[in-house]
Amino acid sequence: MSYTTLVDVATLRAHLDDPHWLVVDVRHQLSDTGYGERAYAAGHLPGAVFLHCDRDLSGAMTGCNGRHPLPDPERLAARLGEIGIGATTQVVVYDDAQGMIAGRLWWLLRWLGHDAVALLDGGLPAWQAAGGVLTDIVPSLVPRLFVPRGQALTVDADYVLERLETPHMRLVDGRGPDRFRGENETIDPVAGHIPGAVNRCFKDNLLPDGRFKPAATLRAEWLAVLAGSPPDLVVHQCGSGVSACLNILAMEIAGLPGSRLYAGSWSEWCADPGRPVAV
């Protein structure tokens, strides 16, 4: 069977030596972009390979396309093949940031048509809490052919602008409530949010220990957020198209598939002074 949303620690432990499974470490900090590589070198899950949020999971910034623009799909596909992801590979992604970075890779693989990807529920803290060991051994890569099959999972700024405050889009902002309100903005040059957006912080999908809430709980909470809008009219955004992916994952767990990502998100939106801003 394929895992397409979450994998728990016990299941992953049972498959650590499975050649058809690959674990990917994507630890990252916005304030210290070298953190992930250092943390990986110090200790990671056995067999895990490392991908960098900026170099591997993002494209080049132009100053007007956000802080984490989408990577070129062919370049990303080549990189995924290099580390050993093929058509039948079960991928498990993890971080130590409540899934914020791992959710990005989960979504990117889905964007390229690879559904057999799951987040380690609870991430590195859950692994260590269960007695899971870490290693500093870097595994030998076994390259495989990764053929991208692009999926229509994104919208652009023009799409959002044309549908602002209409019933044809339910825009969900995954940032913290303070930044959504325009308070404590220390990352982007403009504070506030896109008019008509509703706030659902990605952390609201999680239990206190960092694992996801039960599917039934998530479904009830997300139905309240959607307020009658069908999932295929939902567009997710955050600061730069990273943490919003965890809201997409939460909707999948809740049995509400079909939502899309505005990848440029607030950092792209606010780069154009002609676009409206709400506080």
Side-chain angles (χ1 to χ4, degrees):
M1 73 177 280
S2 293
Y3 294 86
T4 60
T5 55
L6 299 173
V7 161
D8 61 28
V9 168
T11 301
L12 177 57
R13 197 196 304 267
H15 286 88
L16 279 183
D17 296 322
D18 189 330
H20 300 292
W21 283 51
L22 183 70
V23 182
V24 185
D25 182 320
V26 290
R27 282 177 283 177
H28 185 74
Q29 290 181 355
L30 297 179
S31 60
D32 179 3
T33 58
Y35 161 77
E37 288 168 303
R38 296 195 306 272
Y40 175 82
H44 51 265
L45 269 65
V49 298
F50 179 77
L51 289 179
H52 194 280
C53 181
D54 291 345
R55 293 196 305 269
D56 298 312
L57 310 187
S58 306
M61 292 185 291
T62 64
C64 60
N65 63 349
R67 287 183 281 106
H68 291 100
L70 293 180
D72 174 78
E74 294 294 335
R75 181 184 67 81
L76 176 59
R79 181 71 176 125
L80 296 174
E82 284 176 3
I83 67 170
I85 300 177
T88 60
T89 306
Q90 173 66 62
V91 183
V92 177
V93 297
Y94 78 89
D95 62 28
D96 58 0
Q98 298 179 298
M100 182 177 72
I101 311 299
R104 168 78 166 208
L105 181 54
W106 173 85
W107 183 88
L108 286 171
L109 279 158
R110 299 284 291 261
W111 178 54
L112 295 185
H114 191 91
D115 292 336
V117 54
L119 199 83
L120 176 60
D121 198 14
L124 182 65
W127 177 262
Q128 293 181 296
V133 300
L134 301 182
T135 179
D136 61 1
I137 298 173
V138 177
S140 299
L141 301 182
V142 181
R144 291 184 167 87
L145 178 63
F146 187 99
V147 180
R149 297 177 290 108
Q151 308 293 307
L153 303 182
T154 64
V155 304
D156 60 16
D158 288 339
Y159 178 99
V160 174
L161 186 63
E162 291 168 2
R163 292 163 178 79
L164 285 185
E165 301 182 88
T166 74
H168 305 297
M169 177 181 68
R170 185 67 165 172
L171 186 62
V172 181
D173 188 322
R175 295 176 297 165
D178 57 341
R179 290 184 65 209
F180 178 79
R181 293 191 300 264
E183 304 165 3
N184 304 320
E185 181 56 75
T186 60
I187 302 175
D188 291 308
V190 179
H193 61 265
I194 301 174
V198 296
N199 187 217
R200 166 76 175 189
C201 180
F202 77 94
K203 296 179 182 179
D204 291 342
N205 301 304
L206 307 176
L207 297 166
D209 65 1
R211 292 179 301 117
F212 272 80
K213 295 175 179 176
T217 301
L218 288 173
R219 185 176 181 87
E221 293 179 358
W222 274 100
L223 287 174
V225 172
L226 302 191
S229 294
D232 61 357
L233 292 185
V234 176
V235 172
H236 295 275
Q237 50 94 187
C238 53
S240 63
V242 175
S243 62
C245 296
L246 220 63
N247 277 345
I248 299 176
L249 173 57
M251 284 188 63
E252 291 277 345
I253 296 168
L256 299 167
S259 60
R260 288 178 286 177
L261 176 69
Y262 168 35
S265 288
W266 178 249
S267 56
E268 177 186 74
W269 185 268
C270 72
D272 183 345
R275 297 186 186 121
V277 170
V279 292

